[in-house]
Amino acid sequence: MENGEVIPSLTTLTKMARALGVRLGTFLDDTPQLGPVVTRAGKPTNALYFSGREDVTNATNLEYHSLGAGKIDRNIDPFIIDIEYEEGENELSSHEGEEFIYVLEGEIEVIYGKDTFVIGKGDSIFYDSVVPHHLHATGEKASKILAVLYTPY
């Protein structure tokens, strides 16, 4: 992972943070910031890439733009996430915490346990991430979401 040869899923990274007793943001921060973090006009320039699936570590369809990078005392991790459409199986994953998703562009499908929700532009969903879940772009088009993740440590 350190050399960029393996792209972890967010679930894997969350489990690693939990095992190490640190918050998820510890892996994402560049420089410590004690005051507020301001992101102007859209998204930050640095992108993080995670695999959307735990069993795929060499490709990604998710581009994360952290809106809180550097804030060392945060309890939530806000992201703008660009999601490329991807065909294939949707393997559910789970981790401790909660997720709030707001769709900015396009449409996503969220599989949550045995239920499936289609969330369009302007819609949101808030769920416990301990329940197995997966989200992906639908309609063969890319989507953009605001995701706020809470992961206890």
Side-chain angles (χ1 to χ4, degrees):
M1 284 191 300
E2 289 180 32
N3 295 332
E5 297 171 14
V6 173
I7 302 169
S9 70
L10 189 57
T11 296
T12 300
L13 207 55
T14 301
K15 289 176 182 177
M16 287 173 51
R18 182 78 172 156
L20 294 170
V22 299
R23 60 183 182 75
L24 176 64
T26 302
F27 299 128
L28 312 175
D29 295 345
D30 293 323
T31 56
Q33 177 73 285
L34 297 176
V37 173
V38 176
T39 303
R40 302 216 185 263
K43 61 186 178 188
T45 55
N46 294 338
L48 304 163
Y49 299 92
F50 296 110
S51 173
R53 297 172 42 186
E54 286 188 76
D55 62 335
V56 176
T57 59
N58 62 349
T60 181
N61 67 324
L62 303 173
E63 184 174 305
Y64 285 66
H65 302 275
S66 177
L67 300 175
K71 180 134 179 62
I72 59 175
D73 60 347
R74 69 184 183 268
N75 296 305
I76 61 170
D77 287 293
F79 297 98
I80 298 290
I81 305 174
D82 294 317
I83 307 170
E84 294 298 321
Y85 176 77
E86 182 179 61
E87 290 185 26
E89 294 283 321
N90 299 311
E91 183 176 322
L92 306 183
S93 61
S94 65
H95 52 88
E96 289 188 49
E98 298 175 327
E99 298 182 25
F100 172 80
I101 309 294
Y102 180 85
V103 178
L104 299 167
E105 295 175 11
E107 186 176 83
I108 64 170
E109 181 177 75
V110 177
I111 302 169
Y112 183 75
K114 295 182 181 186
D115 297 318
T116 300
F117 303 91
V118 175
I119 312 296
K121 181 179 179 179
D123 296 338
S124 66
I125 185 169
F126 187 13
Y127 53 85
D128 292 321
S129 45
V130 72
V131 173
H133 60 281
H134 183 274
L135 68 84
H136 54 272
T138 62
E140 298 186 17
K141 293 183 181 179
S143 297
K144 182 185 300 263
I145 63 173
L146 167 65
V148 181
L149 311 176
Y150 166 71
T151 52
Y153 64 95

